[in-house]
Amino acid sequence: MADLSVRIGEVALKNPVIAASGTFGFGAEYAPIFDPGILGGICSKGITREPREGNPPPRLWETPCGLLNSIGLENPGIEAFVREVLPRMLGLGTVVIVNIWGREPEEYVYMAERLDMTEAHVIELNLSCPNVPGAGLPGAVPEKVAAIVAAARAACGKPLWAKLPPEGDLIGAARAAAEAGASAVTVANTFRGMAIDIRSRRPVFSNVIGGLSGPAIKPLVLRAVYEVAKEVRVPVIGCGGIVGWEDAVEFIMAGAHAVQIGTGSFIDPLCIPKVIAGLGAFLEREGIGSLEEVRGCAH
Amino acid sequence: MYPQLKRGEVVANREIAPGIFLLGVRGKFAASPGQFYMLRAWELDPPLFRPMSVFALEEEAISFLYEVRGRGTGILSRLSPGEELLLLGPLGRGWDPPARPLALVAGGTGIAPIHFAAQIYGGDAFLGFRGKPYLVESFADWCRAVYVASETGEGGTKGLVTEIFRPEGYRTCFACGPEGMLRELYRLCSEAGVPLFVSVEERMACGLGACLGCAILTSRGPRRVCADGPVFPAEELWGDG
Ligand SMILES: Cc1cc2nc3c(=O)[nH]c(=O)nc-3n(C[C@H](O)[C@H](O)[C@H](O)COP(=O)(O)OP(=O)(O)OC[C@H]3O[C@@H](n4cnc5c(N)ncnc54)[C@H](O)[C@@H]3O)c2cc1C
Ligand SMILES: Cc1cc2nc3c(=O)[nH]c(=O)nc-3n(C[C@H](O)[C@H](O)[C@H](O)COP(=O)(O)O)c2cc1C
Ligand code: FES
């Protein structure tokens, strides 16, 4: 069996395949289909300081090879998450990455301090959720990224990953995150999109916009990962439209240390185990000792 | 009964009324009344599986009743016997064994899950159709009595199913159909003090409770139609508590 293990700063992953935030619940939902312990890591649903009910339906809208979502960060809040959900996630046998979202830097600080008292392995700062009414996209603005990452860095000792939007000053934002102490950047969250119901003549989502994910965005995100990997010194985690192992190889050749898979699991519930197996088979077939040998080779 | 991802072979896919198909799939499947499967018979696009309630379950086969609405159901409707499709299920929480006597009320393709409930629990069926009724004989196999309404008056009483149904005398009512019908039913049942359990629809991505894409707001907070439902006490959806 090929060695798929990778290191993202301080954390070692058994393989570079991570379940993307918001698409894999808290890890146990897919357990009837495959053992989540085979994953390199699992990102939790986005957690906020207070519980959130999320947006009214519809929350999903299918597009050609894509998916618009407007979930609105439904979650139990950090306290219930830490007490009731996190212990179960930590029992799944893989690296647990807690995705957190705040309206202000202080909210990130509050949650980072709370998570610092737990066994969670990594905190992913979600700087890029398009679905909360009235909230902007701090991840598109380097100064805001710097402020949030620096505040969270001072508040906890856990590895921090900064999850950025694919829009705005991406290179500037990624640099700002690295300089403020992020040990990796996740590129990227969804693109802001929308759909209009031509019969009612209104946007389909109550929040008007939604986040576009899935194969439709893969070439756009691959380009973004390629550019960030060239310009920024911290590891890049590629995320957007990965369905097959070949997609994952492309991201790694573009310079990603690891990949996250979201919508792919909706297209094929066995997507994640197939990508992991496909990566292993690829290394063996090509006689490659480790992923490092091909990482960034497209540059 | 944990959900599984399986391949199944189409044994029949017949248009039993204009735009309404009955799909039979060979294989060993499990389900309880009100549960559903996510179906897929294509590669990458459209990206999502299509949720379908179980219409009937046999030892070596499962069947679904669906209306062609868009791309996904269009592709399903062109499947021929011998072709394969993917099935993820059984999913969701259906109808628990009821206090009797039981009334089963369905409108349109809402008769799919109600038919499976009839197969397992029996009861009296009240069926509403837009035009010519279909599959009424199949209900007669399982039900004590079958009452039919159609908007055109073909094959039954002219009008809506909510006009031929009276809840008095029943101890439980199960229903599936358009939201307007279900809300009117809730009004009738709550006046008569009869507990009503309805199966509802929402757009779904994972079907497993992981993405929160199918959540609706209830009196108990947000609930996932795929995992906490699709069957809910009507009171939780529309009660004023
Ligand atoms: C639990 C459950 C059980 C169902 N059981 C049945 C059944 O037994 N028979 C039947 O005819 N229909 C049933 N439906 C509705 C059926 O899933 C939709 O009609 C179908 O998904 C439409 O797909 P399409 O590609 O033809 O339509 P499109 O409009 O092209 O679909 C676009 C997207 O919207 C989704 N969508 C559109 N309408 C619905 C809807 N009403 N509910 C959920 N998703 C929708 C599709 O899944 C797809 O993702 C059920 C829905 C749910 C949630
Ligand atoms: C239904 C859904 C919910 C999501 N929820 C979150 C979330 O809570 N936090 C977050 O950072 N990203 C969230 N995302 C974004 C994904 O984690 C991922 O970045 C994006 O979908 C692109 O990857 P994909 O094309 O593989 O899905 C969500 C995406 C989807 C489709
Ligand atoms: S469809 Fe994903 S939670 Fe229901």
Side-chain angles (χ1 to χ4, degrees):
Chain A
M1 194 51 204
D3 178 20
L4 288 176
S5 65
V6 290
R7 201 157 245 298
I8 314 281
E10 317 81 322
V11 273
L13 309 184
K14 62 183 124 189
N15 64 60
V17 181
I18 300 165
S21 175
T23 63
F24 207 70
F26 294 118
E29 289 82 353
Y30 272 86
I33 310 300
F34 67 91
D35 173 11
I38 67 166
L39 273 153
I42 297 178
C43 296
S44 75
K45 174 68 192 166
I47 303 296
T48 50
R49 191 170 66 181
E50 307 301 330
R52 285 182 54 87
E53 289 195 334
N55 295 337
R59 291 176 170 191
L60 299 171
W61 201 264
E62 208 183 33
T63 71
C65 280
L67 175 65
L68 282 164
N69 87 80
S70 173
I71 310 296
L73 287 178
E74 176 187 334
N75 81 92
I78 186 75
E79 202 48 49
F81 171 78
V82 165
R83 275 190 281 114
E84 288 151 35
V85 183
L86 182 60
R88 272 180 280 140
M89 281 190 87
L90 290 167
L92 294 174
T94 183
V95 168
V96 173
I97 301 133
V98 182
N99 182 282
I100 61 173
W101 182 91
R103 224 174 254 282
E104 305 292 338
E106 298 72 53
E107 295 183 16
Y108 287 96
V109 167
Y110 180 91
M111 289 184 278
E113 283 175 346
R114 186 68 188 87
L115 288 167
D116 210 28
M117 298 182 260
T118 72
E119 302 297 314
H121 304 105
V122 177
I123 298 175
E124 185 173 62
L125 303 169
N126 176 359
L127 307 172
S128 45
C129 181
N131 293 328
V132 180
L137 270 187
V141 184
E143 297 73 39
K144 292 189 179 166
V145 171
I148 294 169
V149 175
R153 180 69 293 152
C156 76
K158 303 272 184 200
L160 296 177
W161 298 354
K163 185 166 177 181
L164 302 172
E167 307 168 83
D169 180 2
L170 179 59
I171 305 285
R175 253 198 216 113
E179 277 160 20
S183 25
V185 288
T186 304
V187 178
N189 209 312
T190 50
F191 281 84
R192 287 172 305 167
M194 73 182 288
I196 293 173
D197 179 342
I198 58 173
R199 270 162 307 175
S200 69
R201 305 180 177 194
R202 300 291 308 151
V204 300
F205 295 130
S206 68
N207 192 36
V208 182
I209 65 158
L212 182 66
S213 63
I217 68 170
K218 195 201 89 179
L220 305 173
V221 179
L222 188 64
R223 190 266 303 155
V225 165
Y226 183 87
E227 288 180 3
V228 173
K230 189 160 64 187
E231 299 293 332
V232 181
R233 53 182 175 78
V234 296
V236 179
I237 297 158
C239 175
I242 295 171
V243 181
W245 63 268
E246 298 94 330
D247 301 321
V249 171
E250 278 190 81
F251 274 88
I252 291 162
M253 290 181 170
H257 277 63
V259 294
Q260 294 183 0
I261 295 179
T263 307
S265 293
F266 308 150
I267 293 170
D268 177 1
L270 290 171
C271 171
I272 283 170
K274 285 179 186 168
V275 169
I276 295 170
L279 284 175
F282 169 72
L283 291 196
E284 285 188 359
R285 217 168 34 244
E286 304 271 319
I288 301 167
S290 85
L291 288 169
E292 226 164 300
E293 290 178 34
V294 285
R295 183 182 311 129
C297 68
H299 285 265
Chain B
M1 275 184 293
Y2 289 111
Q4 290 184 310
L5 182 66
K6 285 190 185 176
R7 267 181 193 290
E9 185 198 325
V10 175
V11 285
N13 192 21
R14 210 158 46 83
E15 188 166 14
I16 56 158
I20 311 274
F21 288 74
L22 190 56
L23 169 69
V25 179
R26 194 196 321 273
K28 260 205 168 10
F29 295 94
S32 54
Q35 284 192 304
F36 68 99
Y37 276 74
M38 298 281 273
L39 307 185
R40 183 182 196 96
W42 50 85
E43 292 297 322
L44 205 56
D45 195 69
L48 304 177
F49 282 62
R50 296 304 191 251
M52 289 294 162
S53 299
V54 176
F55 172 79
L57 188 66
E58 289 157 53
E59 197 88 334
E60 292 291 335
I62 191 166
S63 53
F64 303 92
L65 176 75
Y66 62 95
E67 180 174 23
V68 175
R69 301 229 178 102
R71 255 186 90 205
T73 49
I75 299 172
L76 290 179
S77 73
R78 291 187 290 277
L79 287 175
S80 305
E83 291 189 276
E84 289 200 327
L85 75 163
L86 280 172
L87 302 93
L88 175 66
L91 300 169
R93 300 197 41 168
W95 285 291
D96 291 332
R100 292 166 197 283
L102 168 67
L104 301 167
V105 186
T109 49
I111 78 170
I114 289 293
H115 180 270
F116 187 31
Q119 196 185 359
I120 305 297
Y121 298 136
D124 292 350
F126 299 82
L127 311 175
F129 299 87
R130 235 170 291 150
K132 194 161 169 258
Y134 43 85
L135 298 172
V136 174
E137 10 21 282
S138 182
F139 275 85
D141 293 344
W142 312 107
C143 293
R144 203 172 61 167
V146 184
Y147 305 94
V148 177
S150 77
E151 291 175 39
T152 57
E154 285 169 278
T157 310
K158 187 173 162 72
L160 303 172
V161 69
T162 44
E163 292 163 348
I164 60 166
F165 171 66
R166 285 291 154 266
E168 290 76 16
Y170 294 105
R171 288 183 61 204
T172 317
C173 180
F174 293 166
C176 184
E179 186 172 331
M181 171 200 126
L182 296 179
R183 281 178 181 266
E184 172 62 8
L185 212 53
Y186 176 53
R187 196 184 62 80
L188 295 172
C189 285
S190 37
E191 271 172 19
V194 178
L196 169 66
F197 300 87
V198 297
S199 177
V200 297
E201 298 180 357
E202 200 42 74
R203 281 154 199 270
M204 296 181 174
C206 69
L208 294 164
C211 74
L212 309 181
C214 65
I216 53 173
L217 202 57
T218 73
S219 60
R220 296 172 61 194
R223 311 283 281 163
R224 300 160 302 177
V225 172
C226 73
D228 305 312
V231 171
F232 294 93
E235 203 178 3
E236 280 179 25
L237 306 181
W238 305 307
D240 35 40

